[in-house]
Amino acid sequence: MEQGLNSNSNSHHGPIDKSRVLDVRPLRTLAPVFPNPPGMSSVATPQPMPFTCVPPSGPFPPGIQPFFPFLASDTQPGAQSQPPDFGFGSSIPAPVPLNSFRTPTPRANGGTSQRKRASKARARRPVVIEDDGYSDSQNQSDQYGADADVSSNSRKRRGRSGNRSENAEEYDVESLVDSFITSFKLKNFDEFRSSNSDKDIVGTILLVFDFIRRRVSQLEEAKDSSPGVARRPDLKAGALLMNKGVRANHPKRMGHVPGVEVGDIFFFRMELCIVGVHTPSMAGIDYMTMKLTMDDEPMAVSIVSSGGYDDNGDDTDVLIYTGQGGLARKDGKMSDQKLERGNLALEKSLHRANDVRVIRGLKDTVGVGKIYVYDGLYNIQESWMEKNKSGCNVFKYKLVRVPGQPQAFSVWKSIQQWKDGAATQPGVILPDLTSGAESQPVTLVNDVDGEKGPAHFTYIPNLKYMKPFPASKPSSGCHCLGGCQPGDTNCPCNQKNEGLMPYSSIGVLLTNKSLIHECGLACSCPPNCRNRMSQSGVKVHLEVFKTKNRGWGLRSWDYIRAGGFICEYAGDAVKEFTANVFGNENDNYIFDATRYYEPLEAVRDDSDGFEKSPHPLCIDAKNNGNVARFMNHSCSPNVIWQPVLREVNNDSYLHIAFFAIRHIPPMQELTYDYGIVSPEKGGDKGKKKCLCGSAKCRGYFY
């Protein structure tokens, strides 16, 4: 007896009749294990595919439950996750998020167990940062290092040395974020968005992100200053903001992003994400689906070229971009790239001729990461496949910059040529205005008219005191022979700063306190101590240049990151300015810390939104001064001044240091708010017409 092919038996008891015609159906008619999401197109064909490829841990299409071996052992029952968007329109639920971030819960204060359980549930709720699995970097530690602590939990780590600051042992990141969001009136984000311009929305989000990132960095470093630990406060800050719905330009869009200007710079991929310039946290190609035919098609919206692949980006108007994929993340082995996902989106954009945003990643010469420059819109003109150095097939795309846009990457190239001596900057009067008084040159430039320079003055790099302020109590200084260290509670200088280091290791301001205490003459720490940041002079190549309508101004050849130190205000310290000083030529180069000024955070509930500085320092830089005397006023400044106190014995020396409010690209004018003069010092007498051009211009300044 013959066994039919549909029998459950696996044995045969006799010969098989090979002449019989069997009814065998093709495999493509069988029901797929992974059905396609509705409307999803094939990678290679415009017709729907029977199934989609998924990573081992998900995502799984709707209606399919995860099964072994794709289950995650640490998945919490009932845990809710935000699904990543892989660029195909609707999201695909993922039981295991690609990158999740948990925030700590406050210490229990005798609450009910139900309240504790709710708090724990909130702490487990993840925020997923989009990544389609293709990185634009061959060095994965650039984005997610093996030692990266992307958890927000304020746990104690092993092997801590020295005394740690009690203020930094435990902190609640959620409360920290909420305080900044409330201060900048982002609690009701929809209302904030409807009542502010696109530029203000983007600027405020980036400002809050950086405040949170710097504060978390300061607290975590004080808690554990172990070298080599990558804490990634940028990931925490970005994830927490997005978890609270604070992000701009979402969902994705083509073309320019409202509120982001060509030439803007970013230091973290999370910054690109939260303002909608480039969504994936690691992938170099961002794309979205569009209903252009019967089926949806992937279309590229932005690319990041940062050196992960063999891109040719030396030309300022043409970029030869290498497609994504083909690079194994763990062992670094190469394979042929496939025409799928981002590569397919670029190919579709080539034929559809849609513009693509280009972000160029440049090496950060101060930090350890990248600087991302938004270089505007490009058009894909050509694509081909070629062999790379490893002998694998890779896709190449030729992108040409759309004409008529402001300069961006080309500015960086020009400055590098000036520094290398390969080209000469037009309009240079003096290569160094300081005659060597600063460690960095300050160029004097005029390419507007024939004026040969500002009125004569003597350049001095520091503030000159006739008599210091009396100290509130005697100060003997610190004994940190190797320099003050974060979290060291035995350091008296740390104690004056509430136990926290005010600066990062690369000189970025970490605190938002009204007064910084720096090491003084009696301290034993070396000149390069982190707590002497403002004492070593200018750290970037500045330029005094002639503006078109506001006299002389100040800008930098170098980029300046948010919180970066620029210079101090040097001159002659005086007790105060009398009323007859304002309104005449003698008030052009003065600084008065007793003026009313608008704070960085949201306007207070007082009558005019201005606060008075409690520090009575006045500086006259008419005859003696430094580059700070050339910094013009703006009602929407990119620089803020900060009082810095240095004490020795019974004397206090108050200085004024300038820091960047936000990331400042090269050759962008540096400005700060001059503030409002009190009525008893002249009031309306010294008003001048303001030409800052800001959307929030008050129309006058002092």
Side-chain angles (χ1 to χ4, degrees):
M1 180 178 179
E2 296 180 1
Q3 285 284 3
L5 291 178
N6 292 329
S7 172
N8 293 329
S9 175
N10 293 325
S11 62
H12 298 284
H13 303 283
I16 298 176
D17 184 1
K18 297 181 180 180
S19 65
R20 294 180 58 186
V21 178
L22 304 179
D23 182 15
V24 180
R25 298 182 180 181
L27 289 176
R28 65 174 177 268
T29 64
L30 300 179
V33 176
F34 299 108
N36 246 0
M40 182 175 173
S41 302
S42 164
V43 168
T45 67
Q47 301 300 323
M49 287 182 66
F51 64 92
T52 58
C53 297
V54 296
S57 61
F60 292 83
I64 299 299
Q65 296 297 322
F67 53 87
F68 184 85
F70 302 115
L71 290 173
S73 58
D74 59 346
T75 302
Q76 298 293 335
Q80 299 293 322
S81 64
Q82 179 183 339
D85 180 3
F86 286 85
F88 291 100
S90 60
S91 300
I92 303 175
V96 183
L98 295 172
N99 301 289
S100 61
F101 304 87
R102 295 183 174 90
T103 55
T105 56
R107 288 179 172 178
N109 294 320
T112 63
S113 59
Q114 182 178 1
R115 192 174 306 163
K116 291 181 181 179
R117 287 195 298 270
S119 178
K120 291 181 179 179
R122 286 193 298 270
R124 288 197 299 266
R125 184 173 62 249
V127 172
V128 177
I129 299 176
E130 181 177 341
D131 176 24
D132 71 355
Y134 288 153
S135 170
D136 68 334
S137 173
Q138 293 181 354
N139 180 8
Q140 295 305 317
S141 63
D142 289 348
Q143 294 297 331
Y144 300 102
D147 296 329
D149 173 22
V150 295
S151 167
S152 296
N153 294 324
S154 53
R155 59 180 179 273
K156 298 180 181 179
R157 297 183 179 90
R158 297 179 181 178
R160 294 191 304 172
S161 60
N163 295 319
R164 299 293 109 199
S165 168
E166 294 181 1
N167 291 342
E169 284 296 335
E170 295 291 342
Y171 65 93
D172 183 0
V173 181
E174 286 276 2
S175 298
L176 179 66
V177 174
D178 285 339
S179 66
F180 280 110
I181 289 178
T182 302
S183 178
F184 284 88
K185 298 186 176 180
L186 296 175
K187 201 74 172 177
N188 189 340
F189 188 65
D190 290 336
E191 181 179 334
F192 176 84
R193 185 163 46 194
S194 62
S195 57
N196 286 272
S197 67
D198 293 323
K199 187 174 182 179
D200 287 338
I201 294 170
V202 168
T204 303
I205 291 176
L206 290 175
L207 188 63
V208 172
F209 165 84
D210 208 67
F211 275 171
I212 296 171
R213 181 195 63 80
R214 283 187 268 162
R215 182 63 171 166
V216 170
S217 176
Q218 181 189 40
L219 292 170
E220 290 203 341
E221 188 181 39
K223 183 178 62 176
D224 183 359
S225 59
S226 303
V229 177
R231 300 174 185 85
R232 299 310 303 271
D234 55 312
L235 299 181
K236 295 180 183 180
L240 289 167
L241 284 177
M242 290 192 294
N243 192 36
K244 296 179 181 296
V246 179
R247 63 188 306 183
N249 301 307
H250 186 72
K252 300 177 183 180
R253 67 185 69 203
M254 289 186 176
H256 290 300
V257 173
V260 179
E261 298 180 353
V262 176
D264 283 352
I265 60 175
F266 307 85
F267 284 84
F268 303 96
R269 290 288 292 265
M270 287 303 300
E271 292 177 313
L272 298 172
C273 181
I274 61 176
V275 299
V277 177
H278 188 82
T279 303
S281 60
M282 295 176 67
I285 305 174
D286 192 7
Y287 56 98
M288 60 186 293
T289 56
M290 298 185 66
K291 195 79 171 179
L292 300 175
T293 59
M294 293 294 294
D295 298 300
D296 291 343
E297 293 185 7
M299 304 290 288
V301 295
S302 63
I303 62 172
V304 174
S305 176
S306 59
Y309 292 89
D310 296 328
D311 298 340
N312 185 357
D314 291 335
D315 195 309
T316 57
D317 293 317
V318 178
L319 172 65
I320 307 300
Y321 185 78
T322 305
Q324 61 182 188
L327 176 64
R329 289 188 174 184
K330 292 185 178 180
D331 55 18
K333 292 183 179 180
M334 293 291 299
S335 61
D336 291 342
Q337 293 184 350
K338 300 177 181 179
L339 190 61
E340 60 182 14
R341 299 190 179 186
N343 296 335
L344 179 62
L346 288 174
E347 190 70 27
K348 294 288 186 180
S349 294
L350 166 63
H351 297 292
R352 296 288 180 182
N354 69 282
D355 295 333
V356 178
R357 294 188 296 271
V358 169
I359 301 99
R360 294 185 184 251
L362 308 176
K363 183 180 179 181
D364 184 0
T365 57
V366 178
V368 295
K370 299 280 186 180
I371 309 164
Y372 299 98
V373 183
Y374 175 46
D375 201 31
L377 299 179
Y378 279 64
N379 194 266
I380 308 174
Q381 292 194 350
E382 188 180 355
S383 69
W384 65 93
M385 179 175 283
E386 65 179 42
K387 296 283 187 182
N388 64 5
K389 297 177 182 178
S390 301
C392 299
N393 291 321
V394 295
F395 293 100
K396 291 285 187 176
Y397 302 90
K398 179 181 179 181
L399 294 94
V400 178
R401 196 167 191 258
V402 176
Q405 301 180 91
Q407 290 184 331
F409 178 60
S410 58
V411 174
W412 294 68
K413 296 289 289 185
S414 297
I415 293 174
Q416 190 59 51
Q417 291 177 343
W418 300 342
K419 290 183 176 181
D420 296 340
T424 303
Q425 183 185 10
V428 175
I429 300 173
L430 287 174
D432 186 10
L433 178 67
T434 74
S435 299
E438 301 281 6
S439 59
Q440 294 285 337
V442 177
T443 312
L444 180 64
V445 176
N446 184 359
D447 57 359
V448 175
D449 54 33
E451 189 175 356
K452 296 302 181 182
H456 175 75
F457 74 103
T458 300
Y459 193 98
I460 58 173
N462 304 112
L463 181 63
K464 296 175 66 174
Y465 265 96
M466 294 295 294
K467 183 179 180 181
F469 294 97
S472 57
K473 58 181 180 179
S475 175
S476 58
C478 69
H479 301 282
C480 306
L481 299 180
C484 300
Q485 299 299 320
D488 184 2
T489 56
N490 294 325
C491 173
C493 298
N494 273 355
Q495 294 172 4
K496 295 174 184 176
N497 290 304
E498 300 183 357
L500 299 170
M501 185 67 70
Y503 306 111
S504 75
S505 59
I506 59 174
V508 172
L509 182 67
L510 299 178
T511 183
N512 58 350
K513 300 299 181 183
S514 60
L515 181 64
I516 297 174
H517 292 266
E518 284 193 348
C519 295
L521 293 175
C523 293
S524 303
C525 56
N528 63 348
C529 174
R530 278 172 59 173
N531 202 35
R532 295 183 182 271
M533 187 55 59
S534 70
Q535 301 178 29
S536 55
V538 174
K539 294 179 175 59
V540 292
H541 188 142
L542 295 174
E543 173 182 292
V544 176
F545 72 105
K546 186 64 180 295
T547 67
K548 293 182 179 180
N549 58 355
R550 295 193 294 164
W552 297 93
L554 187 67
R555 60 191 179 193
S556 172
W557 283 20
D558 300 318
Y559 57 88
I560 307 173
R561 67 178 68 225
F565 172 72
I566 299 172
C567 63
E568 76 163 288
Y569 201 107
D572 298 313
V574 296
K575 288 186 177 180
E576 62 177 353
F577 292 114
T578 58
N580 60 4
V581 171
F582 298 100
N584 58 53
E585 61 179 9
N586 293 323
D587 72 343
N588 288 334
Y589 300 106
I590 64 173
F591 180 89
D592 187 359
T594 64
R595 293 183 178 188
Y596 291 86
Y597 63 95
E598 187 173 4
L600 262 185
E601 61 268 25
V603 175
R604 303 283 198 253
D605 292 330
D606 55 352
S607 58
D608 56 7
F610 284 80
E611 290 186 337
K612 184 177 181 179
S613 171
H615 311 292
L617 177 64
C618 297
I619 303 172
D620 184 356
K622 185 177 186 299
N623 299 316
N624 303 298
N626 68 342
V627 292
R629 71 197 294 272
F630 297 107
M631 209 179 307
N632 283 319
H633 163 83
S634 176
C635 300
S636 297
N638 54 14
V639 175
I640 190 172
W641 60 271
Q642 174 78 40
V644 175
L645 192 64
R646 307 166 195 165
E647 295 178 316
V648 53
N649 299 327
N650 295 318
D651 296 328
S652 294
Y653 295 87
L654 189 65
H655 295 256
I656 301 299
F658 289 95
F659 299 89
I661 295 176
R662 55 180 180 269
H663 304 323
I664 304 177
M667 307 305 285
Q668 185 178 103
E669 185 176 2
L670 306 177
T671 58
Y672 74 100
D673 191 338
Y674 285 3
I676 302 297
V677 178
S678 61
E680 59 269 19
K681 284 195 173 184
D684 294 341
K685 180 181 178 181
K687 275 188 178 181
K688 301 180 181 67
K689 184 179 180 180
C690 182
L691 301 173
C692 71
S694 165
K696 295 184 176 180
C697 181
R698 298 193 294 266
Y700 63 92
F701 73 99
Y702 290 89

